[in-house]
Amino acid sequence: MKLALIGQSLFGQEVYTNLRKQGHKVVGVFTVPDKDGKADPLAVVAEKDGTPVFKFPRWRVKGKPIPEVVEAYKAVGAELNVMPFCSQFIPMNVIDFPKHGSIIYHPSILPRHRGASAINWTLIEGDKKAGFSIFWADDGLDTGPILLQKECAVEPNDTVDTLYNRFLFPEGIKSMVNMAQPTEVIHNFIRGHDKVPGAWVVTDGKVHFLNIYSSMLSGSVPTGQPVEVEGASQPGLIAKSGLILFGFDGKALQVKNLQFEDGKMIPASKYFSSEETASLDLTDDEKKMAEEIRVIWKGILSNVPVIDDTTDFFKSGAASMDVVRLVEEVKQKCGGVQLQNEDVYMATTFQSFIQMFVRRLRGEDQEEELVIDYVTKDVNNMTVKMPYQCFINGKFEDAEDGKTYNTVNPTDGSVICKVSYASVADVDRAVSAAKEAFDNGPWGKMNPRDRGRLLYRLADLMEEHQEELATIETIDSGAVYTLALKTHVGMSIQTFRYFAGWCDKIQGSTIPINQARPNRNLTFTKKEPLGVCAIVIPWNYPLMMLAWKSAACLAAGNTLVLKPAQVTPLTALKFAELTVKAGIPKGVINIVPGSGGLVGQRMSDHPDIRKLGFTGSTPIGKQIMKSRLLCCYYSNISCITKVSLELGGKSPLIIFSDCDMDKAVRMGMSSVYFNKGENCIAAGRLFVEESIHDEYIRRVVEEIKKMKIGDPLDRSTDHGPQNHKAHLDKLVEYCEIGVKEGATLVYGGRQVDRPGFFMEPTVFTDVEDHMFIAKEESFGPVMVVSKFKDGDVDGVLSRANNTEFGLASGVFTRDINKAMYVSERLEAGTVFVNTYNKTDVAAPFGGFKQSGFGKDLGKSEQNTHCIITLYHFKTSFMTMRIMCMCIQVRKPCMSTCGLKL
């Protein structure tokens, strides 16, 4: 039938859509003119379909029909007028013109409450029933024969909006599920209903509508938390995959989403969830889009004076057609982002909608929205919230086999929490996620400046949470809080900011070459990311080592899988949370806590890893090298797979008699006792010139006695606990060996008599070159001192270099010539002159010999995370890519302070 539709609003739009679905031809839509440049919803959908649309401001003047308007109407040749929500006065010669006349939709049970405000009078008069009538128009317009009536009960708290939304706007079929049936029948019943709101069940006394995406389960039923389902033969289960329902035959089906009576939709897996969702920080561009969306919401919810963060889409009067309009307007005006109707039901407030939209804009799925099950502790005058699960592909989740282990507070030996103990399967999933993110995700293909912007935002978030991070670092590693705040966390923030600035400066070069006449050639290189990088970090600086290893890796466009030390996983997992808030895409960063023998070994063996960075002991570094070589051999991967190792050290510090004694004592103590001696560049052996040796030792012991040993959260504490019990035991054993071999124990050498893992600051003298403590690293607060003869510069240099390690070294002297002579001959990656422990994000850091190879920090590190590709262009514009390996030689880095020139 040919229909003319005369009306307006979302109600008119929905009637129009349903009539077309039923096969009727709408030959013309007559609606109101645009308001403030914005078309009525009925006009919007009709114009989109190509239906002729007429926007007459009026149909008559001074009581008489306007001839041009009436003629335009008659020209469409309608056989029936359909008039839903028509606010204009339509002349009778238009009402009567079609051969079937006109039908009108009216919001009351006629004959009660005639006129335009009928639904209002239904509430004003206190009617117990409201209704809906469709009737033939006559001379009185709303006194003609009735075609159809439906009614609904008026609830005590109903408003005009709720009546419209609950009854007058069709929302689809909704029926309660009869659970006393075979599972397949229940499944068919659910999927046969409308998508929204669909069939419903009662769980724990609450009504929930079931999304149509149900599926029959085959095989084993997943584990989950029981939930009572009214009428069911057995309780349902809330599992990670959704709501599991059982028919009377014992078979199971799975429901993906649940919707509450107020319109809010959630993934069924979150039914019991009291977990918190991380809130994203928006960029300036995203904030502009949020304001555009606010305008869209205002256009739909015209009855709401102000759209604020708490405005609820459905509670403010929106209906199902408004959902469609919202989705389409967002797609049209906000960069083509395609939302689904269910997205609106899952994010009903303006704030949650914006968060969902931004995640979709960034390439994340709403289903992947970060949900965190925190462990919380009230400590250090704050409540710290600590994730404890593996972080894989943008989600925190338990280890695949469900295993956990305890992470311990070294201050008192108490258990902080249980942490997921990752398996080989978890590592494989993490590598797969990182590879997918690199191959197909936005990270490596992102504009480098945009990547830098995300890293800057991550650094800002770390700074915003620095006190919480420092507190977690303190209770998990034993670091003194003030040091954790300044160095562990502070330098981590600096590192990410530094490498964020490098993102758009990682560039190749143009190379002049001899031309192959008559052709001309253009030759240039590009630096491209490697792919998936694996990072294994130690327990002495958990967050800082994470930053040193990962910032350059990310800046170059790589993705990573990171294993924190088993005994200090918590700041790495908190960092993972902040990466999501910063907008780092899923899969770019994956963190798998667990043992080195299991997780670390699998990372060393994995064929999809293109670079592995490790900080730790020399024996483990050698094992990693062996594993990577075997991986290259057996997986047929090219052996250019990169490895960077920062390993053990036994750094010598030479103190000459012409030094500034005050500075030498202060810096010498810092070189040993900084961070409780758990410091890779710690001075493992001090060589003090004979003429000042005794005075130097006396002053060191005096200063040690002033040190406060105790709770690392106490701001006045100088020396906190060692990282873990096994390490403390090794330090005590180390000191016992020193005494047995004949070294003089001047001070300390024992565990402090108090709860926790505290070690006394220790001083050994008379240490001979052959002794165990002269050659082996303690990695603790143990000063090992040997004297050398006055003026024997070459002799002490020979002794200082007589070690298999070459990480750091130092010299104290006022003589610039002596300083230069000694520093040039010390075999170490870093030489400190009249200072110690001075590192900076802009200066490369790394060692020689058995202390490893490769550099962290500085401009040079970005080269280690790139492939250098050479391009030759001839006049024919054919290209050839040659993968090049660059061998770079680093000279020792030197810091100078207090020299006389």
Side-chain angles (χ1 to χ4, degrees):
M1 187 182 299
K2 296 180 180 179
L3 307 178
L5 201 144
I6 306 173
Q8 65 194 74
S9 80
L10 291 167
F11 186 74
Q13 183 191 69
E14 188 154 342
V15 170
Y16 165 86
T17 302
N18 285 332
L19 290 172
R20 281 175 52 86
K21 284 182 179 178
Q22 293 168 15
H24 299 293
K25 182 176 182 180
V26 179
V27 293
V29 166
F30 299 85
T31 188
V32 294
D34 296 353
K35 184 178 180 181
D36 298 326
K38 188 174 183 179
D40 182 82
L42 173 58
V44 170
V45 68
E47 288 172 340
K48 184 177 180 181
D49 292 335
T51 301
V53 176
F54 303 86
K55 302 175 182 179
F56 300 137
R58 62 187 64 84
W59 289 73
R60 62 181 190 167
V61 176
K62 296 182 180 180
K64 295 183 179 180
I66 301 172
E68 296 84 357
V69 172
V70 174
E71 288 304 314
Y73 158 76
K74 290 180 178 179
V76 302
E79 298 171 325
L80 174 71
N81 290 335
V82 179
M83 301 169 64
F85 196 80
C86 181
S87 62
Q88 296 174 313
F89 189 90
I90 309 300
M92 285 307 300
N93 59 338
V94 172
I95 297 291
D96 294 336
F97 178 79
K99 66 179 181 180
H100 297 299
S102 301
I103 61 172
I104 298 178
Y105 290 65
H106 188 75
S108 77
I109 305 175
L110 290 175
R112 189 167 176 77
H113 304 313
R114 301 181 187 277
S117 301
I119 191 169
N120 304 74
W121 283 105
T122 298
L123 297 174
I124 292 169
E125 292 290 320
D127 293 354
K128 299 300 180 184
K129 292 183 179 180
F132 172 93
S133 302
I134 301 177
F135 59 93
W136 292 108
D138 62 1
D139 290 345
L141 285 185
D142 54 7
T143 58
I146 292 173
L147 288 171
L148 174 70
Q149 282 188 325
K150 286 191 174 183
E151 63 180 39
C152 69
V154 178
E155 301 293 339
N157 296 317
D158 264 336
T159 63
V160 171
D161 288 333
T162 60
L163 276 179
Y164 264 113
N165 296 330
R166 184 164 53 82
F167 180 69
L168 293 177
F169 279 16
E171 288 191 282
I173 302 171
K174 42 184 153 181
S175 306
M176 184 174 181
V177 179
N178 178 7
M179 298 299 297
Q181 302 181 88
T183 304
E184 187 173 356
V185 175
I186 296 173
H187 168 62
N188 291 335
F189 185 82
I190 294 171
R191 66 194 181 102
H193 278 67
D194 290 330
K195 190 174 187 179
V196 177
W200 54 276
V201 295
V202 176
T203 61
D204 289 342
K206 300 175 184 177
V207 173
H208 296 288
F209 295 99
L210 307 179
N211 189 273
I212 61 171
Y213 296 120
S214 67
S215 57
M216 295 291 292
L217 288 181
S218 58
S220 60
V221 175
T223 59
Q225 188 171 351
V227 59
E228 290 298 325
V229 179
E230 188 173 299
S233 58
Q234 65 183 92
L237 294 173
I238 300 298
K240 289 183 178 180
S241 55
L243 169 63
I244 310 301
L245 295 175
F246 299 90
F248 73 73
D249 55 5
K251 295 181 181 178
L253 65 86
Q254 176 178 287
V255 176
K256 185 177 180 182
N257 296 325
L258 294 176
Q259 184 181 16
F260 296 89
E261 287 185 285
D262 63 2
K264 173 69 174 177
M265 186 181 289
I266 62 169
S269 60
K270 299 180 184 178
Y271 179 82
F272 287 120
S273 178
S274 59
E275 299 157 341
E276 301 179 41
T277 301
S279 178
L280 296 177
D281 290 328
L282 273 57
T283 65
D284 290 340
D285 289 342
E286 290 165 351
K287 288 176 181 177
K288 290 178 182 178
M289 286 192 179
E291 290 309 308
E292 292 178 5
I293 294 173
R294 194 186 302 274
V295 173
I296 295 172
W297 275 52
K298 179 61 180 172
I300 296 172
L301 306 176
S302 57
N303 58 311
V304 178
V306 177
I307 305 296
D308 59 28
D309 286 349
T310 62
T311 301
D312 189 286
F313 193 67
F314 297 103
K315 291 180 181 178
S316 298
S320 57
M321 281 305 299
D322 298 312
V323 173
V324 176
R325 175 180 170 183
L326 176 59
V327 168
E328 291 301 315
E329 283 203 62
V330 167
K331 179 181 178 181
Q332 182 183 45
K333 299 177 181 178
C334 299
V337 176
Q338 181 63 64
L339 304 179
Q340 302 299 320
N341 290 2
E342 305 95 274
D343 295 328
V344 183
Y345 287 94
M346 286 188 175
T348 60
T349 66
F350 182 74
Q351 183 181 40
S352 62
F353 185 87
I354 292 300
Q355 291 282 308
M356 175 274 297
F357 168 81
V358 171
R359 285 190 170 87
R360 192 61 51 83
L361 181 68
R362 294 177 181 178
E364 302 176 21
D365 294 329
Q366 171 65 15
E367 295 172 8
E368 305 300 328
E369 182 179 354
L370 182 65
V371 175
I372 308 172
D373 188 7
Y374 291 113
V375 170
T376 60
K377 283 194 177 296
D378 293 322
V379 61
N380 200 23
N381 299 316
M382 69 180 74
T383 300
V384 295
K385 300 190 294 185
M386 299 173 285
Y388 61 88
Q389 298 165 295
C390 301
F391 183 72
I392 299 174
N393 202 26
K395 295 189 296 184
F396 284 102
E397 53 191 25
D398 293 336
E400 187 170 278
D401 57 11
K403 289 184 178 180
T404 61
Y405 70 95
N406 294 332
T407 187
V408 174
N409 184 342
T411 302
D412 57 11
S414 63
V415 174
I416 301 171
C417 64
K418 289 186 177 297
V419 177
S420 291
Y421 189 79
S423 65
V424 168
D426 294 313
V427 176
D428 289 345
R429 288 191 299 117
V431 174
S432 177
K435 189 173 188 301
E436 174 66 20
F438 181 80
D439 291 340
N440 302 311
W443 186 249
K445 304 174 182 65
M446 185 181 295
N447 182 304
R449 198 161 295 165
D450 291 336
R451 192 161 59 240
R453 177 173 49 82
L454 292 180
L455 293 182
Y456 274 124
R457 191 186 309 154
L458 176 57
D460 290 344
L461 283 167
M462 293 172 70
E463 187 169 53
E464 181 182 327
H465 290 265
Q466 62 181 333
E467 293 183 350
E468 184 179 22
L469 286 166
T471 300
I472 297 171
E473 191 93 331
T474 296
I475 65 174
D476 202 26
S477 75
V480 172
Y481 176 76
T482 50
L483 179 66
L485 190 63
K486 178 182 181 297
T487 301
H488 289 232
V489 178
M491 195 171 185
S492 300
I493 296 167
Q494 294 174 26
T495 303
F496 274 100
R497 286 204 174 117
Y498 176 81
F499 283 106
W502 270 110
C503 285
D504 59 354
K505 302 171 188 67
I506 301 174
Q507 55 202 21
S509 58
T510 303
I511 304 169
I513 65 170
N514 289 334
Q515 305 298 334
R517 294 185 178 90
N519 294 326
R520 301 282 297 176
N521 301 86
L522 171 64
T523 302
F524 63 90
T525 62
K526 284 181 63 179
K527 294 179 180 177
E528 299 171 326
L530 293 164
V532 180
C533 296
I535 296 173
V536 181
I537 57 174
W539 43 258
N540 57 328
Y541 295 103
L543 187 63
M544 193 174 80
M545 289 296 100
L546 178 153
W548 283 25
K549 294 291 184 186
S550 65
C553 171
L554 295 169
N558 298 288
T559 59
L560 64 88
V561 179
L562 183 142
K563 190 198 90 67
Q566 184 173 347
V567 291
T568 54
L570 295 181
T571 42
L573 295 171
K574 186 68 179 181
F575 168 81
E577 175 192 347
L578 299 182
T579 67
V580 177
K581 287 187 175 183
I584 307 295
K586 66 179 182 179
V588 172
I589 296 171
N590 305 271
I591 297 180
V592 279
S595 72
L598 194 66
V599 174
Q601 185 62 51
R602 178 54 183 158
M603 291 166 70
S604 299
D605 295 339
H606 205 292
D608 288 333
I609 287 174
R610 291 294 177 262
K611 180 187 175 184
L612 191 147
F614 170 76
T615 296
S617 71
T618 298
I620 299 300
K622 292 178 178 179
Q623 177 61 37
I624 288 172
M625 286 285 291
K626 179 180 178 181
S627 295
R628 291 311 297 164
L629 289 172
L630 291 174
C631 172
C632 292
Y633 180 80
Y634 287 112
S635 63
N636 295 319
I637 292 177
S638 170
C639 285
I640 63 168
T641 300
K642 293 190 175 185
V643 176
S644 63
L645 304 173
E646 197 252 280
L647 307 176
K650 188 67 175 176
S651 302
L653 173 59
I654 304 173
I655 301 174
F656 288 99
S657 59
D658 62 350
C659 69
D660 179 331
M661 180 64 82
D662 290 339
K663 181 179 289 186
V665 170
R666 185 175 67 255
M667 291 292 184
M669 292 182 64
S670 175
S671 75
V672 175
Y673 303 126
F674 188 82
N675 199 46
K676 312 157 301 177
E678 296 168 354
N679 187 19
C680 55
I681 58 173
R685 192 174 181 193
L686 274 66
F687 295 92
V688 182
E689 200 158 12
E690 192 170 28
S691 59
I692 64 168
H693 175 274
D694 293 347
E695 173 66 10
Y696 186 84
I697 297 300
R698 183 186 65 78
R699 293 183 61 171
V700 166
V701 172
E702 284 180 359
E703 293 302 315
I704 289 176
K705 291 177 180 179
K706 299 175 186 177
M707 293 172 64
K708 180 180 177 179
I709 302 173
D711 182 359
L713 289 171
D714 184 335
R715 304 315 193 256
S716 63
T717 294
D718 299 301
H719 188 77
Q722 304 309 133
N723 187 275
H724 52 281
K725 182 64 165 60
H727 181 52
L728 173 65
D729 293 341
K730 285 183 179 180
L731 287 174
V732 172
E733 182 183 6
Y734 183 92
C735 293
E736 290 172 350
I737 293 173
V739 172
K740 287 179 181 178
E741 288 190 332
T744 302
L745 178 62
V746 177
Y747 192 89
R750 295 178 299 272
Q751 179 177 354
V752 178
D753 186 18
R754 58 166 292 160
F757 312 141
F758 293 84
M759 179 75 182
E760 292 178 335
T762 299
V763 178
F764 277 102
T765 61
D766 302 318
V767 178
E768 302 295 334
D769 294 351
H770 67 275
M771 292 180 179
F772 176 83
I773 63 173
K775 295 186 291 185
E776 296 298 326
E777 181 180 27
S778 71
F779 212 66
V782 182
M783 181 179 284
V784 177
V785 184
S786 301
K787 67 177 68 172
F788 66 94
K789 291 182 180 180
D790 291 349
D792 188 11
V793 176
D794 289 328
V796 75
L797 269 172
S798 177
R799 295 173 69 189
N801 287 329
N802 186 23
T803 173
E804 62 181 2
F805 301 108
L807 188 56
S809 60
V811 56
F812 278 81
T813 179
R814 284 189 171 98
D815 186 334
I816 182 64
N817 293 319
K818 187 187 296 181
M820 293 298 296
Y821 182 87
V822 171
S823 62
E824 288 175 356
R825 287 161 177 76
L826 283 170
E827 298 170 358
T830 300
V831 178
F832 298 106
V833 178
N834 291 335
T835 188
Y836 209 90
N837 285 326
K838 177 56 183 173
T839 56
D840 189 90
V841 296
F845 178 90
F848 295 161
K849 301 191 286 189
Q850 297 297 302
S851 290
F853 53 83
K855 298 289 182 180
D856 292 330
L857 306 180
K859 176 182 177 180
S860 61
E861 190 182 0
Q862 45 100 353
N863 290 325
T864 69
H865 292 95
C866 297
I867 297 171
I868 297 179
T869 306
L870 183 68
Y871 293 80
H872 288 300
F873 279 74
K874 297 182 181 179
T875 52
S876 62
F877 294 102
M878 298 295 290
T879 66
M880 176 173 62
R881 292 163 58 99
I882 304 173
M883 299 300 178
C884 298
M885 291 182 63
C886 290
I887 301 174
Q888 299 177 346
V889 179
R890 301 284 187 215
K891 291 184 178 180
C893 168
M894 194 192 318
S895 299
T896 61
C897 180
L899 293 173
K900 288 183 178 179
L901 300 179

